[in-house]
Amino acid sequence: PLVRLLYDKSPSIIGFALQTILSVAKKDPLIFIPHLNHFFIHKNDSAIVKKMKLKVLSSLASPSNADIILGELSKYTGSNDSTFSALSIKTIGDTAIEHPNIIPSAFTALLRLMGRVSFSDTIVLSEIVFAISKLLKLKRGTEDEEKALHHLCRKFVVICDPYARASVLAVVGDTYLTHRKYAPQMLRYVAQHFDEESPEVKLQALNLAAKLITIQKDEPSKETESQLPLYLMKLCA
């Protein structure tokens, strides 16, 4: 009966139905998983209904239906409404954090999106960066994590949003102990383009440089590698 209410003509009834479904699904998602397709978003849905349906789809995610849900969410990222597209991408990341078993599928979906999104669509591209960064901060040490970090660092050059660029540097620092090759590369790029970078990127690069110096103090064999972080700190000074 609740699912049938989603096709009511009254937007308020649809909203109340979705709110009730969401409350129930958080406690027992199995009730609504067989009705998954009824929560797919339609072009004529209002902004509020779209937002509620995204929450419901996220709450119903599981390893068995991850590909279906992530595939559906990926479709929404092609919307002409950049705000809705960005929210769909955020939902992919948040869903994976809530359901760690689907993180590999989420990485695949996000990397596919990153490869096809236009560089001029800064809102959507930045949200992809934020979503991948959140998942990388879980530090799982897996092959899909390595692949995602590699693609994220490659896109650093074309990402325009300063907070997204800073986020890439932050996650490179967070994962330095398990993925060491990226930090020197990123610092070198920032040092070469230092005057062009925003304050947010400069500050995060400073944090990364300080982290490398601190870690390398305990590793005498790595002492020669500390010259780059020291140079960047002089630039900041």
Side-chain angles (χ1 to χ4, degrees), residues 75-237:
K75 289 179 186 177
Y76 306 151
T77 62
S79 170
N80 293 327
D81 181 352
S82 294
T83 303
F84 174 55
S85 296
L87 185 59
S88 300
I89 292 165
K90 183 178 183 299
T91 303
I92 291 175
D94 292 345
T95 302
I97 289 174
E98 287 293 321
H99 307 277
N101 289 334
I102 72 169
I103 287 178
S105 299
F107 269 141
T108 300
L110 290 168
L111 292 177
R112 192 180 296 123
L113 289 171
M114 181 180 277
R116 76 180 192 217
V117 69
S118 170
F119 299 146
S120 61
D121 198 344
T122 56
I123 295 177
V124 174
L125 184 57
S126 296
E127 199 59 59
I128 293 172
V129 171
F130 293 138
I132 292 176
S133 297
K134 284 181 185 177
L135 296 178
L136 287 173
K137 285 180 180 179
L138 298 177
K139 300 178 187 178
R140 293 158 51 251
T142 56
E143 286 187 15
D144 58 298
E145 181 182 81
E146 163 73 26
K147 182 179 179 182
L149 185 59
H150 174 73
H151 280 272
L152 202 59
C153 291
R154 283 185 61 191
K155 289 291 182 181
F156 182 81
V157 179
V158 297
I159 296 168
C160 297
D161 182 75
Y163 294 101
R165 290 171 68 80
S167 182
V168 174
L169 292 175
V171 79
V172 167
D174 288 341
T175 58
Y176 176 66
L177 291 177
T178 50
H179 305 285
R180 296 197 170 214
K181 64 183 179 182
Y182 299 107
Q185 296 172 11
M186 303 301 288
L187 283 183
R188 187 174 294 107
Y189 181 88
V190 173
Q192 290 172 343
H193 303 84
F194 191 77
D195 291 338
E196 305 164 19
E197 296 293 354
S198 67
E200 293 84 4
V201 173
K202 289 177 180 177
L203 180 60
Q204 198 57 60
L206 178 62
N207 289 338
L208 179 57
K211 180 175 287 189
L212 264 62
I213 291 171
T214 303
I215 293 173
Q216 289 166 0
K217 276 184 179 179
D218 299 326
E219 301 174 343
S221 61
K222 302 285 185 180
E223 190 174 349
T224 56
E225 293 184 12
S226 66
Q227 297 307 309
L228 180 58
L230 285 172
Y231 173 66
L232 193 130
M233 293 187 83
K234 287 179 181 179
L235 287 176
C236 290

